[in-house]
Amino acid sequence: MSPSSRSMAVRRAARAARSAERPPGEAVSRPHRSPDRTKQHPVTTITIGNSLPEIAAVDAQCRRIAGFARLDADTLADLLLALDEILSNAIRHAFPDGGQHPITVRFHVDEQAIEVAIEYGGVPFDPADAPPPDRDKPLAERRTGGLGLHFTQALMDGLRYCRVGDVNRVTLVKKRAHRRGADSDGPA
C-alpha cells in the first residue's frame, strides 16, 4: 500500500469512527468541490430527532454557517423562517405513528446560493401540492394552516421536492445577495 493510499484509508477509518460516535443534533462538515473544481465549499450535515425543540439545533447550525459564509441578515432571516416551517411541518405531520425518526438537514453554500436539503421518512408530502391560502375569506372563516408554506415558497428562490424510496427530500434554495463596495457590513 502506498503512503498516500494508506493515509486515505486512515482518514476514512477515522471519519467512520467519528460518525458512529456522533449524537443526534451534532453537525459534521465535509468539503465539496465546486463544479469548476477550483474551490471547495463545505457541506454541513446535521441530524435531529422528530421533536420540535430539536429545531433549535438546526437554527444554531444555520446561524454558524451564515457567519462563516458571510450571508446578509435578510438572507439568513428568510432561510431560518423557511427551515422552521418545513421542519415543524415534517415533525407535526409526517409521523402519525409517533416514535423516534431522524431528520437530516444538509447545508451547501457556494458563491451563488445556499442550498438546504431536508430529508425525512414518513408520510409523503410535496409542499408545492399544498393549496394556496384563501385570502378572500374573512380570517374567522379561513381554514387553519397553509400560510407558512405560502411564505416559504415566496421567500425562497427555489423549493424542490422528491421522494427517494421511503424518504421525503425538500430542497430550499436561496440566492446570495451580492454586495458592492467597501461599505458592506460583515457576517450576518
Side-chain angles (χ1 to χ4, degrees), residues 30-35 39-43 108:
R30 293 183 193 94
H32 171 76
R33 287 221 181 263
S34 63
K39 297 180 180 176
Q40 286 193 347
H41 302 288
V43 174
H108 175 254

Side-chain angles (χ1 to χ4, degrees), residues 151-173:
F151 290 142
T152 297
Q153 290 171 341
L155 292 172
M156 293 295 100
D157 296 304
L159 187 141
R160 298 185 307 268
Y161 171 83
C162 67
R163 182 84 172 169
V164 181
D166 291 338
V167 176
N168 294 293
R169 180 184 299 146
V170 177
T171 303
L172 305 170
V173 178

Side-chain angles (χ1 to χ4, degrees), residues 17-18 32 64 66 97 101 103 126 130 133-134 142-144 154 173 183:
R18 281 192 308 270
H32 171 76
R64 281 190 291 274
D97 66 337
H101 302 276
I103 299 173
D126 183 347
D134 186 355
R142 293 182 194 176
R143 71 174 180 84
T144 303
V173 178
D183 63 340

Side-chain angles (χ1 to χ4, degrees), residues 34-173:
S34 63
D36 67 6
R37 298 293 195 207
T38 60
K39 297 180 180 176
Q40 286 193 347
H41 302 288
V43 174
T44 302
T45 302
I46 183 169
T47 300
I48 63 169
N50 59 317
S51 163
L52 290 173
E54 293 204 38
I55 294 174
V58 175
D59 183 282
Q61 186 63 24
C62 188
R63 289 175 187 278
R64 281 190 291 274
I65 291 167
F68 170 77
R70 301 181 56 91
L71 297 178
D72 66 283
D74 290 338
T75 299
L76 175 60
D78 291 352
L79 196 56
L80 290 172
L81 182 65
L83 271 168
D84 186 81
E85 179 62 21
I86 297 297
L87 289 168
S88 62
N89 278 346
I91 290 166
R92 286 188 177 115
H93 305 293
F95 309 107
D97 66 337
Q100 296 295 315
H101 302 276
I103 299 173
T104 300
V105 182
R106 186 171 298 108
F107 297 87
H108 175 254
V109 181
D110 64 25
E111 291 86 9
Q112 301 302 316
I114 180 165
E115 185 172 293
V116 184
I118 302 110
E119 296 181 346
Y120 56 95
V123 177
F125 176 69
D126 183 347
D129 291 341
D134 186 355
R135 294 181 295 186
D136 295 331
K137 286 185 180 178
L139 191 57
E141 295 176 21
R142 293 182 194 176
R143 71 174 180 84
T144 303
L147 281 175
L149 287 175
H150 173 72
F151 290 142
T152 297
Q153 290 171 341
L155 292 172
M156 293 295 100
D157 296 304
L159 187 141
R160 298 185 307 268
Y161 171 83
C162 67
R163 182 84 172 169
V164 181
D166 291 338
V167 176
N168 294 293
R169 180 184 299 146
V170 177
T171 303
L172 305 170
V173 178

